[in-house]
Amino acid sequence: MYLVNQYNRNRGFTLLEVLIAIGITALIGLGTWQLLGGTIRAQEVTQKNSDRLEKLQKAMLILSRDVQQISHRAIRDEYGDFQPALSNRNALFVMELTRIGWRNPIGAVRSDLQRVSYELVDGELLRHYWTVLDRSQDSESVIQALLTDIDTLSLRFMNEENQWTDTWPPEQVDVDNQQLGNHLLPKALEITLVHNYFGTLTRLYDLPQFKDSSTTSSNNQSAGNQSTTQQENSNQQEAGQPATNDRDSSGNQK
């Protein structure tokens, strides 16, 4: 009896017990691997979406800064042709504009104005800028890749009659008139971007309006002439003389 009990205690696992243990271990390992793999895939998708969103926010921030800091300064391109302060009539670029506020931390001898253009190539939005405003034939742009996976990028401009148009400057305007082009800005600009992942994004910008300096000077001169006439009439009345208005329609003394 003692020998039988000692034999039973020294006996190992049977083949069936080993197979059951291996099966249980395999099931636990498989479940753990699937859980870990799902977590890793979710983290990769989240990181990818986060990177996409970060690039989109950065691109829209740069675009918004360029539009919000727009200037009425027109330029001459490398061929000597006049280019308005804001235009989408160039076949090479989606939009061209002149902006202010170009930072100069090293104090370089240059203007704080910057000429910027946007180009859409194979679904990628590129930003061009030049180190000078009026370019020469050897002037080259610096290219920045802003965003990918773009389907379309469209613009609309609000004119003085509060009507939307797809082209700026308007086709009936002579773009070779530099004096006109320097001050020719729409009231508002609408940018619609269709992204393959984020869908349709629309931004509406209220643009500043710059007055024509010649018109302002003429108005100031007319106001000054009118004030002078009123002062002369007042002096004549104090002296007992009838007031006169010996000025022509332009405000000059006859």
Side-chain angles (χ1 to χ4, degrees):
M1 185 66 180
Y2 174 77
L3 295 176
V4 174
N5 292 336
Q6 185 178 7
Y7 173 78
N8 292 334
R9 287 197 300 267
N10 294 333
R11 189 182 64 176
F13 294 103
T14 64
L15 179 60
L16 180 60
E17 292 173 341
V18 172
L19 292 177
I20 293 175
I22 293 175
I24 294 174
T25 304
L27 290 176
I28 295 175
L30 179 61
T32 304
W33 177 80
Q34 290 180 346
L35 179 61
L36 179 61
T39 303
I40 293 176
R41 287 192 297 271
Q43 193 273 338
E44 291 176 350
V45 172
T46 302
Q47 184 64 39
K48 187 176 181 180
N49 293 337
S50 177
D51 293 341
R52 286 176 176 173
L53 181 59
E54 182 180 358
K55 291 180 180 179
L56 176 64
Q57 291 176 336
K58 182 179 179 181
M60 297 305 296
L61 177 61
I62 295 175
L63 179 60
S64 297
R65 285 180 177 177
D66 287 342
V67 174
Q68 292 172 350
Q69 296 179 347
I70 192 171
S71 172
H72 64 295
R73 170 67 155 83
I75 63 129
R76 294 281 179 177
D77 60 17
E78 55 270 17
Y79 303 105
D81 297 330
F82 169 75
Q83 298 297 334
L86 173 64
S87 174
N88 70 332
R89 295 172 65 172
N90 191 332
L92 299 178
F93 302 110
V94 179
M95 177 178 63
E96 290 185 89
L97 60 91
T98 304
R99 56 157 293 182
I100 62 176
W102 187 14
R103 298 180 59 186
N104 190 8
I106 62 175
V109 182
R110 61 167 175 80
S111 172
D112 62 344
L113 299 176
Q114 185 183 53
R115 188 66 176 184
V116 178
S117 298
Y118 286 89
E119 182 183 12
L120 187 61
V121 180
D122 296 332
E124 184 177 17
L125 182 61
L126 303 178
R127 180 180 185 265
H128 299 254
Y129 73 89
W130 287 262
T131 56
V132 294
L133 290 177
D134 299 317
R135 304 192 291 266
S136 60
Q137 292 186 356
D138 59 350
S139 298
E140 296 183 357
S141 65
V142 180
I143 303 177
Q144 296 175 292
L146 295 184
L147 194 62
T148 57
D149 298 328
I150 298 178
D151 188 12
T152 59
L153 179 63
S154 58
L155 308 175
R156 289 202 309 166
F157 309 89
M158 179 177 289
N159 57 23
E160 295 181 354
E161 289 76 22
N162 296 330
Q163 300 293 328
W164 289 103
T165 178
D166 296 331
T167 305
W168 195 268
E171 295 182 357
Q172 65 271 19
V173 175
D174 182 13
V175 296
D176 291 330
N177 188 340
Q178 184 174 5
Q179 183 66 20
L180 176 62
N182 278 336
H183 304 276
L184 193 60
L185 291 179
K187 288 186 175 181
L189 170 62
E190 182 186 78
I191 300 178
T192 301
L193 186 148
V194 180
H195 195 273
N196 294 333
Y197 185 81
F198 293 102
T200 302
L201 304 173
T202 302
R203 295 292 184 270
L204 183 62
Y205 302 96
D206 183 19
L207 301 184
Q209 299 299 303
F210 297 92
K211 294 183 179 180
D212 191 344
S213 58
S214 60
T215 303
T216 304
S217 177
S218 177
N219 293 337
N220 293 337
Q221 182 179 2
S222 299
N225 293 335
Q226 184 178 3
S227 176
T228 303
T229 303
Q230 293 177 354
Q231 183 65 29
E232 291 178 355
N233 292 338
S234 177
N235 294 336
Q236 291 177 357
Q237 290 177 357
E238 292 178 358
Q241 298 178 0
T244 59
N245 188 15
D246 296 335
R247 294 184 181 273
D248 55 19
S249 59
S250 62
N252 298 323
Q253 186 73 32
K254 293 182 179 179

PDB file of all heavy atoms in Angstrom, residues 54-83:
ATOM      1  N   GLU A  54      -3.318  68.797 -37.099  1.00  0.00           N
ATOM      2  CA  GLU A  54      -2.298  69.802 -36.805  1.00  0.00           C
ATOM      3  C   GLU A  54      -1.825  70.496 -38.078  1.00  0.00           C
ATOM      4  O   GLU A  54      -1.662  71.725 -38.107  1.00  0.00           O
ATOM      5  CB  GLU A  54      -1.119  69.143 -36.091  1.00  0.00           C
ATOM      6  CG  GLU A  54      -0.020  70.116 -35.700  1.00  0.00           C
ATOM      7  CD  GLU A  54       1.143  69.433 -35.000  1.00  0.00           C
ATOM      8  OE1 GLU A  54       1.063  68.205 -34.796  1.00  0.00           O
ATOM      9  OE2 GLU A  54       2.128  70.121 -34.661  1.00  0.00           O
ATOM     10  N   LYS A  55      -1.611  69.727 -39.145  1.00  0.00           N
ATOM     11  CA  LYS A  55      -1.191  70.322 -40.412  1.00  0.00           C
ATOM     12  C   LYS A  55      -2.289  71.219 -40.983  1.00  0.00           C
ATOM     13  O   LYS A  55      -1.998  72.290 -41.526  1.00  0.00           O
ATOM     14  CB  LYS A  55      -0.837  69.221 -41.411  1.00  0.00           C
ATOM     15  CG  LYS A  55       0.422  68.446 -41.059  1.00  0.00           C
ATOM     16  CD  LYS A  55       0.716  67.370 -42.091  1.00  0.00           C
ATOM     17  CE  LYS A  55       1.973  66.595 -41.742  1.00  0.00           C
ATOM     18  NZ  LYS A  55       2.265  65.518 -42.724  1.00  0.00           N
ATOM     19  N   LEU A  56      -3.542  70.780 -40.854  1.00  0.00           N
ATOM     20  CA  LEU A  56      -4.648  71.595 -41.345  1.00  0.00           C
ATOM     21  C   LEU A  56      -4.738  72.906 -40.572  1.00  0.00           C
ATOM     22  O   LEU A  56      -4.897  73.981 -41.170  1.00  0.00           O
ATOM     23  CB  LEU A  56      -5.953  70.810 -41.224  1.00  0.00           C
ATOM     24  CG  LEU A  56      -7.227  71.569 -41.606  1.00  0.00           C
ATOM     25  CD1 LEU A  56      -7.207  71.944 -43.080  1.00  0.00           C
ATOM     26  CD2 LEU A  56      -8.466  70.745 -41.277  1.00  0.00           C
ATOM     27  N   GLN A  57      -4.644  72.839 -39.261  1.00  0.00           N
ATOM     28  CA  GLN A  57      -4.717  74.050 -38.447  1.00  0.00           C
ATOM     29  C   GLN A  57      -3.560  74.994 -38.757  1.00  0.00           C
ATOM     30  O   GLN A  57      -3.746  76.215 -38.827  1.00  0.00           O
ATOM     31  CB  GLN A  57      -4.723  73.676 -36.966  1.00  0.00           C
ATOM     32  CG  GLN A  57      -5.997  72.980 -36.509  1.00  0.00           C
ATOM     33  CD  GLN A  57      -5.935  72.545 -35.059  1.00  0.00           C
ATOM     34  OE1 GLN A  57      -4.852  72.348 -34.500  1.00  0.00           O
ATOM     35  NE2 GLN A  57      -7.085  72.372 -34.434  1.00  0.00           N
ATOM     36  N   LYS A  58      -2.376  74.450 -38.948  1.00  0.00           N
ATOM     37  CA  LYS A  58      -1.218  75.285 -39.270  1.00  0.00           C
ATOM     38  C   LYS A  58      -1.389  75.951 -40.628  1.00  0.00           C
ATOM     39  O   LYS A  58      -1.102  77.150 -40.788  1.00  0.00           O
ATOM     40  CB  LYS A  58       0.054  74.436 -39.246  1.00  0.00           C
ATOM     41  CG  LYS A  58       1.318  75.225 -39.530  1.00  0.00           C
ATOM     42  CD  LYS A  58       2.549  74.334 -39.466  1.00  0.00           C
ATOM     43  CE  LYS A  58       3.814  75.128 -39.774  1.00  0.00           C
ATOM     44  NZ  LYS A  58       5.028  74.250 -39.729  1.00  0.00           N
ATOM     45  N   ALA A  59      -1.859  75.183 -41.620  1.00  0.00           N
ATOM     46  CA  ALA A  59      -2.051  75.746 -42.954  1.00  0.00           C
ATOM     47  C   ALA A  59      -3.115  76.840 -42.939  1.00  0.00           C
ATOM     48  O   ALA A  59      -2.934  77.911 -43.543  1.00  0.00           O
ATOM     49  CB  ALA A  59      -2.440  74.645 -43.935  1.00  0.00           C
ATOM     50  N   MET A  60      -4.224  76.607 -42.256  1.00  0.00           N
ATOM     51  CA  MET A  60      -5.286  77.610 -42.196  1.00  0.00           C
ATOM     52  C   MET A  60      -4.835  78.839 -41.416  1.00  0.00           C
ATOM     53  O   MET A  60      -5.250  79.965 -41.718  1.00  0.00           O
ATOM     54  CB  MET A  60      -6.534  77.008 -41.571  1.00  0.00           C
ATOM     55  CG  MET A  60      -7.147  75.863 -42.371  1.00  0.00           C
ATOM     56  SD  MET A  60      -7.524  76.300 -44.089  1.00  0.00           S
ATOM     57  CE  MET A  60      -8.778  77.560 -43.843  1.00  0.00           C
ATOM     58  N   LEU A  61      -3.983  78.647 -40.415  1.00  0.00           N
ATOM     59  CA  LEU A  61      -3.463  79.787 -39.658  1.00  0.00           C
ATOM     60  C   LEU A  61      -2.583  80.662 -40.540  1.00  0.00           C
ATOM     61  O   LEU A  61      -2.704  81.897 -40.530  1.00  0.00           O
ATOM     62  CB  LEU A  61      -2.680  79.289 -38.444  1.00  0.00           C
ATOM     63  CG  LEU A  61      -2.011  80.368 -37.580  1.00  0.00           C
ATOM     64  CD1 LEU A  61      -3.050  81.313 -36.994  1.00  0.00           C
ATOM     65  CD2 LEU A  61      -1.183  79.723 -36.469  1.00  0.00           C
ATOM     66  N   ILE A  62      -1.699  80.041 -41.317  1.00  0.00           N
ATOM     67  CA  ILE A  62      -0.830  80.808 -42.216  1.00  0.00           C
ATOM     68  C   ILE A  62      -1.659  81.516 -43.277  1.00  0.00           C
ATOM     69  O   ILE A  62      -1.441  82.702 -43.582  1.00  0.00           O
ATOM     70  CB  ILE A  62       0.211  79.877 -42.857  1.00  0.00           C
ATOM     71  CG1 ILE A  62       1.161  79.325 -41.793  1.00  0.00           C
ATOM     72  CG2 ILE A  62       0.996  80.605 -43.940  1.00  0.00           C
ATOM     73  CD1 ILE A  62       2.157  78.310 -42.324  1.00  0.00           C
ATOM     74  N   LEU A  63      -2.630  80.815 -43.841  1.00  0.00           N
ATOM     75  CA  LEU A  63      -3.492  81.417 -44.854  1.00  0.00           C
ATOM     76  C   LEU A  63      -4.284  82.585 -44.276  1.00  0.00           C
ATOM     77  O   LEU A  63      -4.407  83.646 -44.913  1.00  0.00           O
ATOM     78  CB  LEU A  63      -4.426  80.352 -45.420  1.00  0.00           C
ATOM     79  CG  LEU A  63      -5.437  80.797 -46.482  1.00  0.00           C
ATOM     80  CD1 LEU A  63      -4.719  81.363 -47.700  1.00  0.00           C
ATOM     81  CD2 LEU A  63      -6.328  79.633 -46.890  1.00  0.00           C
ATOM     82  N   SER A  64      -4.814  82.418 -43.081  1.00  0.00           N
ATOM     83  CA  SER A  64      -5.598  83.487 -42.454  1.00  0.00           C
ATOM     84  C   SER A  64      -4.731  84.705 -42.154  1.00  0.00           C
ATOM     85  O   SER A  64      -5.164  85.847 -42.340  1.00  0.00           O
ATOM     86  CB  SER A  64      -6.249  82.972 -41.166  1.00  0.00           C
ATOM     87  OG  SER A  64      -7.164  81.930 -41.440  1.00  0.00           O
ATOM     88  N   ARG A  65      -3.518  84.487 -41.703  1.00  0.00           N
ATOM     89  CA  ARG A  65      -2.627  85.615 -41.421  1.00  0.00           C
ATOM     90  C   ARG A  65      -2.304  86.389 -42.687  1.00  0.00           C
ATOM     91  O   ARG A  65      -2.273  87.623 -42.680  1.00  0.00           O
ATOM     92  CB  ARG A  65      -1.343  85.107 -40.767  1.00  0.00           C
ATOM     93  CG  ARG A  65      -1.503  84.707 -39.309  1.00  0.00           C
ATOM     94  CD  ARG A  65      -0.185  84.213 -38.738  1.00  0.00           C
ATOM     95  NE  ARG A  65      -0.305  83.884 -37.319  1.00  0.00           N
ATOM     96  CZ  ARG A  65       0.680  83.369 -36.583  1.00  0.00           C
ATOM     97  NH1 ARG A  65       1.862  83.128 -37.145  1.00  0.00           N
ATOM     98  NH2 ARG A  65       0.500  83.096 -35.307  1.00  0.00           N
ATOM     99  N   ASP A  66      -2.063  85.680 -43.772  1.00  0.00           N
ATOM    100  CA  ASP A  66      -1.765  86.364 -45.029  1.00  0.00           C
ATOM    101  C   ASP A  66      -2.947  87.219 -45.479  1.00  0.00           C
ATOM    102  O   ASP A  66      -2.767  88.364 -45.915  1.00  0.00           O
ATOM    103  CB  ASP A  66      -1.414  85.342 -46.112  1.00  0.00           C
ATOM    104  CG  ASP A  66      -0.043  84.720 -45.901  1.00  0.00           C
ATOM    105  OD1 ASP A  66       0.760  85.303 -45.149  1.00  0.00           O
ATOM    106  OD2 ASP A  66       0.218  83.648 -46.478  1.00  0.00           O
ATOM    107  N   VAL A  67      -4.150  86.670 -45.385  1.00  0.00           N
ATOM    108  CA  VAL A  67      -5.329  87.401 -45.853  1.00  0.00           C
ATOM    109  C   VAL A  67      -5.657  88.559 -44.914  1.00  0.00           C
ATOM    110  O   VAL A  67      -5.966  89.673 -45.360  1.00  0.00           O
ATOM    111  CB  VAL A  67      -6.526  86.442 -45.986  1.00  0.00           C
ATOM    112  CG1 VAL A  67      -7.792  87.212 -46.333  1.00  0.00           C
ATOM    113  CG2 VAL A  67      -6.249  85.391 -47.052  1.00  0.00           C
ATOM    114  N   GLN A  68      -5.600  88.332 -43.619  1.00  0.00           N
ATOM    115  CA  GLN A  68      -5.959  89.373 -42.665  1.00  0.00           C
ATOM    116  C   GLN A  68      -4.956  90.522 -42.643  1.00  0.00           C
ATOM    117  O   GLN A  68      -5.296  91.631 -42.232  1.00  0.00           O
ATOM    118  CB  GLN A  68      -6.091  88.765 -41.269  1.00  0.00           C
ATOM    119  CG  GLN A  68      -7.279  87.829 -41.130  1.00  0.00           C
ATOM    120  CD  GLN A  68      -7.288  87.081 -39.813  1.00  0.00           C
ATOM    121  OE1 GLN A  68      -6.311  87.117 -39.060  1.00  0.00           O
ATOM    122  NE2 GLN A  68      -8.382  86.395 -39.519  1.00  0.00           N
ATOM    123  N   GLN A  69      -3.726  90.281 -43.080  1.00  0.00           N
ATOM    124  CA  GLN A  69      -2.702  91.324 -43.118  1.00  0.00           C
ATOM    125  C   GLN A  69      -2.461  91.809 -44.546  1.00  0.00           C
ATOM    126  O   GLN A  69      -1.368  92.253 -44.881  1.00  0.00           O
ATOM    127  CB  GLN A  69      -1.400  90.802 -42.507  1.00  0.00           C
ATOM    128  CG  GLN A  69      -1.516  90.456 -41.035  1.00  0.00           C
ATOM    129  CD  GLN A  69      -0.219  89.920 -40.454  1.00  0.00           C
ATOM    130  OE1 GLN A  69       0.705  89.577 -41.176  1.00  0.00           O
ATOM    131  NE2 GLN A  69      -0.146  89.858 -39.140  1.00  0.00           N
ATOM    132  N   ILE A  70      -3.484  91.765 -45.365  1.00  0.00           N
ATOM    133  CA  ILE A  70      -3.349  92.148 -46.763  1.00  0.00           C
ATOM    134  C   ILE A  70      -3.053  93.638 -46.883  1.00  0.00           C
ATOM    135  O   ILE A  70      -3.477  94.449 -46.050  1.00  0.00           O
ATOM    136  CB  ILE A  70      -4.631  91.779 -47.542  1.00  0.00           C
ATOM    137  CG1 ILE A  70      -4.403  91.895 -49.046  1.00  0.00           C
ATOM    138  CG2 ILE A  70      -5.807  92.633 -47.098  1.00  0.00           C
ATOM    139  CD1 ILE A  70      -5.541  91.338 -49.872  1.00  0.00           C
ATOM    140  N   SER A  71      -2.301  93.990 -47.907  1.00  0.00           N
ATOM    141  CA  SER A  71      -1.948  95.378 -48.182  1.00  0.00           C
ATOM    142  C   SER A  71      -2.422  95.748 -49.583  1.00  0.00           C
ATOM    143  O   SER A  71      -2.674  94.877 -50.422  1.00  0.00           O
ATOM    144  CB  SER A  71      -0.431  95.580 -48.071  1.00  0.00           C
ATOM    145  OG  SER A  71      -0.047  96.866 -48.518  1.00  0.00           O
ATOM    146  N   HIS A  72      -2.543  97.060 -49.831  1.00  0.00           N
ATOM    147  CA  HIS A  72      -2.983  97.536 -51.141  1.00  0.00           C
ATOM    148  C   HIS A  72      -1.808  97.790 -52.081  1.00  0.00           C
ATOM    149  O   HIS A  72      -1.978  98.393 -53.131  1.00  0.00           O
ATOM    150  CB  HIS A  72      -3.797  98.819 -50.986  1.00  0.00           C
ATOM    151  CG  HIS A  72      -3.002  99.964 -50.425  1.00  0.00           C
ATOM    152  ND1 HIS A  72      -2.484  99.952 -49.154  1.00  0.00           N
ATOM    153  CD2 HIS A  72      -2.631 101.142 -50.972  1.00  0.00           C
ATOM    154  CE1 HIS A  72      -1.835 101.080 -48.940  1.00  0.00           C
ATOM    155  NE2 HIS A  72      -1.898 101.822 -50.028  1.00  0.00           N
ATOM    156  N   ARG A  73      -0.630  97.312 -51.736  1.00  0.00           N
ATOM    157  CA  ARG A  73       0.581  97.538 -52.534  1.00  0.00           C
ATOM    158  C   ARG A  73       0.600  96.604 -53.744  1.00  0.00           C
ATOM    159  O   ARG A  73       0.592  95.382 -53.610  1.00  0.00           O
ATOM    160  CB  ARG A  73       1.814  97.317 -51.663  1.00  0.00           C
ATOM    161  CG  ARG A  73       3.152  97.271 -52.402  1.00  0.00           C
ATOM    162  CD  ARG A  73       3.530  98.599 -53.024  1.00  0.00           C
ATOM    163  NE  ARG A  73       4.964  98.738 -53.191  1.00  0.00           N
ATOM    164  CZ  ARG A  73       5.672  98.246 -54.214  1.00  0.00           C
ATOM    165  NH1 ARG A  73       5.064  97.555 -55.161  1.00  0.00           N
ATOM    166  NH2 ARG A  73       6.974  98.440 -54.269  1.00  0.00           N
ATOM    167  N   ALA A  74       0.616  97.177 -54.937  1.00  0.00           N
ATOM    168  CA  ALA A  74       0.758  96.395 -56.163  1.00  0.00           C
ATOM    169  C   ALA A  74       2.238  96.203 -56.476  1.00  0.00           C
ATOM    170  O   ALA A  74       3.104  96.885 -55.927  1.00  0.00           O
ATOM    171  CB  ALA A  74       0.054  97.091 -57.312  1.00  0.00           C
ATOM    172  N   ILE A  75       2.544  95.272 -57.375  1.00  0.00           N
ATOM    173  CA  ILE A  75       3.943  94.946 -57.670  1.00  0.00           C
ATOM    174  C   ILE A  75       4.150  94.828 -59.176  1.00  0.00           C
ATOM    175  O   ILE A  75       3.208  94.836 -59.961  1.00  0.00           O
ATOM    176  CB  ILE A  75       4.354  93.625 -56.990  1.00  0.00           C
ATOM    177  CG1 ILE A  75       3.531  92.446 -57.542  1.00  0.00           C
ATOM    178  CG2 ILE A  75       4.187  93.710 -55.493  1.00  0.00           C
ATOM    179  CD1 ILE A  75       4.321  91.294 -57.994  1.00  0.00           C
ATOM    180  N   ARG A  76       5.409  94.712 -59.534  1.00  0.00           N
ATOM    181  CA  ARG A  76       5.814  94.366 -60.892  1.00  0.00           C
ATOM    182  C   ARG A  76       6.475  92.996 -60.851  1.00  0.00           C
ATOM    183  O   ARG A  76       7.337  92.738 -60.016  1.00  0.00           O
ATOM    184  CB  ARG A  76       6.797  95.400 -61.447  1.00  0.00           C
ATOM    185  CG  ARG A  76       6.197  96.778 -61.653  1.00  0.00           C
ATOM    186  CD  ARG A  76       5.382  96.839 -62.910  1.00  0.00           C
ATOM    187  NE  ARG A  76       4.788  98.166 -63.105  1.00  0.00           N
ATOM    188  CZ  ARG A  76       4.074  98.492 -64.171  1.00  0.00           C
ATOM    189  NH1 ARG A  76       3.878  97.595 -65.123  1.00  0.00           N
ATOM    190  NH2 ARG A  76       3.550  99.687 -64.282  1.00  0.00           N
ATOM    191  N   ASP A  77       6.059  92.116 -61.762  1.00  0.00           N
ATOM    192  CA  ASP A  77       6.627  90.774 -61.762  1.00  0.00           C
ATOM    193  C   ASP A  77       7.959  90.758 -62.501  1.00  0.00           C
ATOM    194  O   ASP A  77       8.488  91.799 -62.900  1.00  0.00           O
ATOM    195  CB  ASP A  77       5.637  89.773 -62.354  1.00  0.00           C
ATOM    196  CG  ASP A  77       5.258  90.109 -63.791  1.00  0.00           C
ATOM    197  OD1 ASP A  77       5.981  90.903 -64.437  1.00  0.00           O
ATOM    198  OD2 ASP A  77       4.240  89.585 -64.278  1.00  0.00           O
ATOM    199  N   GLU A  78       8.510  89.551 -62.700  1.00  0.00           N
ATOM    200  CA  GLU A  78       9.831  89.427 -63.319  1.00  0.00           C
ATOM    201  C   GLU A  78       9.849  89.848 -64.778  1.00  0.00           C
ATOM    202  O   GLU A  78      10.923  90.058 -65.352  1.00  0.00           O
ATOM    203  CB  GLU A  78      10.342  87.991 -63.193  1.00  0.00           C
ATOM    204  CG  GLU A  78       9.402  86.948 -63.744  1.00  0.00           C
ATOM    205  CD  GLU A  78       8.426  86.445 -62.694  1.00  0.00           C
ATOM    206  OE1 GLU A  78       8.274  87.117 -61.661  1.00  0.00           O
ATOM    207  OE2 GLU A  78       7.827  85.382 -62.920  1.00  0.00           O
ATOM    208  N   TYR A  79       8.675  89.980 -65.396  1.00  0.00           N
ATOM    209  CA  TYR A  79       8.598  90.439 -66.783  1.00  0.00           C
ATOM    210  C   TYR A  79       8.284  91.928 -66.879  1.00  0.00           C
ATOM    211  O   TYR A  79       8.104  92.453 -67.976  1.00  0.00           O
ATOM    212  CB  TYR A  79       7.533  89.642 -67.536  1.00  0.00           C
ATOM    213  CG  TYR A  79       7.777  88.152 -67.511  1.00  0.00           C
ATOM    214  CD1 TYR A  79       7.014  87.329 -66.697  1.00  0.00           C
ATOM    215  CD2 TYR A  79       8.784  87.577 -68.279  1.00  0.00           C
ATOM    216  CE1 TYR A  79       7.237  85.959 -66.653  1.00  0.00           C
ATOM    217  CE2 TYR A  79       9.013  86.207 -68.244  1.00  0.00           C
ATOM    218  CZ  TYR A  79       8.236  85.404 -67.429  1.00  0.00           C
ATOM    219  OH  TYR A  79       8.461  84.057 -67.389  1.00  0.00           O
ATOM    220  N   GLY A  80       8.187  92.590 -65.745  1.00  0.00           N
ATOM    221  CA  GLY A  80       7.871  94.007 -65.732  1.00  0.00           C
ATOM    222  C   GLY A  80       6.395  94.307 -65.837  1.00  0.00           C
ATOM    223  O   GLY A  80       6.014  95.475 -65.953  1.00  0.00           O
ATOM    224  N   ASP A  81       5.556  93.286 -65.811  1.00  0.00           N
ATOM    225  CA  ASP A  81       4.110  93.484 -65.916  1.00  0.00           C
ATOM    226  C   ASP A  81       3.523  93.828 -64.552  1.00  0.00           C
ATOM    227  O   ASP A  81       3.980  93.341 -63.517  1.00  0.00           O
ATOM    228  CB  ASP A  81       3.436  92.233 -66.471  1.00  0.00           C
ATOM    229  CG  ASP A  81       3.898  91.908 -67.880  1.00  0.00           C
ATOM    230  OD1 ASP A  81       4.238  92.864 -68.610  1.00  0.00           O
ATOM    231  OD2 ASP A  81       3.941  90.714 -68.243  1.00  0.00           O
ATOM    232  N   PHE A  82       2.491  94.642 -64.595  1.00  0.00           N
ATOM    233  CA  PHE A  82       1.827  95.055 -63.368  1.00  0.00           C
ATOM    234  C   PHE A  82       0.963  93.925 -62.821  1.00  0.00           C
ATOM    235  O   PHE A  82       0.245  93.259 -63.561  1.00  0.00           O
ATOM    236  CB  PHE A  82       0.964  96.289 -63.652  1.00  0.00           C
ATOM    237  CG  PHE A  82       0.037  96.640 -62.536  1.00  0.00           C
ATOM    238  CD1 PHE A  82       0.498  97.229 -61.376  1.00  0.00           C
ATOM    239  CD2 PHE A  82      -1.319  96.367 -62.645  1.00  0.00           C
ATOM    240  CE1 PHE A  82      -0.363  97.538 -60.351  1.00  0.00           C
ATOM    241  CE2 PHE A  82      -2.187  96.678 -61.626  1.00  0.00           C
ATOM    242  CZ  PHE A  82      -1.709  97.265 -60.473  1.00  0.00           C
ATOM    243  N   GLN A  83       1.042  93.700 -61.513  1.00  0.00           N
ATOM    244  CA  GLN A  83       0.216  92.712 -60.829  1.00  0.00           C
ATOM    245  C   GLN A  83      -0.499  93.400 -59.668  1.00  0.00           C
ATOM    246  O   GLN A  83       0.143  94.041 -58.842  1.00  0.00           O
ATOM    247  CB  GLN A  83       1.066  91.554 -60.300  1.00  0.00           C
ATOM    248  CG  GLN A  83       1.784  90.767 -61.370  1.00  0.00           C
ATOM    249  CD  GLN A  83       0.829  90.062 -62.325  1.00  0.00           C
ATOM    250  OE1 GLN A  83      -0.305  89.754 -61.959  1.00  0.00           O
ATOM    251  NE2 GLN A  83       1.279  89.815 -63.543  1.00  0.00           N
TER     252      GLN A  83
END
